[in-house]
Amino acid sequence: PSDWLAEWSKPLPESQWAKPSAAVNELSEHLRAAYQRGEKFIEMGDIEKRFGVAVPTASQQAYPTFPFRANARLA
């Protein structure tokens, strides 16, 4: 049934978008400032410790990026 895929693929209305926490917004501001100073993310280390911001854990698990990988055969 192709109808379910089209329905599932419709974007959510903005009112249903997830909102970042205050901690995530604070960490984003620290990172933005670091980028403007020319720092590279890969060289920053543990950014939560570095900037003293504790980001809460997610209330649900993220969707796996490669759900098929566990069943992939190695050649």
Side-chain angles (χ1 to χ4, degrees):
S2 59
D3 293 345
W4 73 267
L5 184 58
E7 182 66 27
W8 181 85
S9 299
K10 287 182 183 175
L12 288 174
E14 191 170 346
S15 63
Q16 294 181 22
W17 292 2
K19 306 292 187 275
S21 68
V24 169
N25 286 331
E26 181 183 351
L27 189 56
S28 293
E29 289 302 316
H30 285 297
L31 288 171
R32 191 171 291 115
Y35 291 141
Q36 289 176 348
R37 291 190 299 268
E39 296 182 51
K40 296 183 176 145
F41 183 77
I42 195 81
E43 299 169 353
M44 290 185 197
D46 186 334
I47 58 172
E48 291 180 29
K49 285 183 183 175
R50 176 180 174 182
F51 297 116
V53 178
V55 176
T57 58
S59 60
Q60 57 190 116
Q61 189 174 11
Y63 185 80
T65 305
F66 296 108
F68 53 85
R69 179 170 270 172
N71 297 323
R73 291 186 305 188
L74 299 175

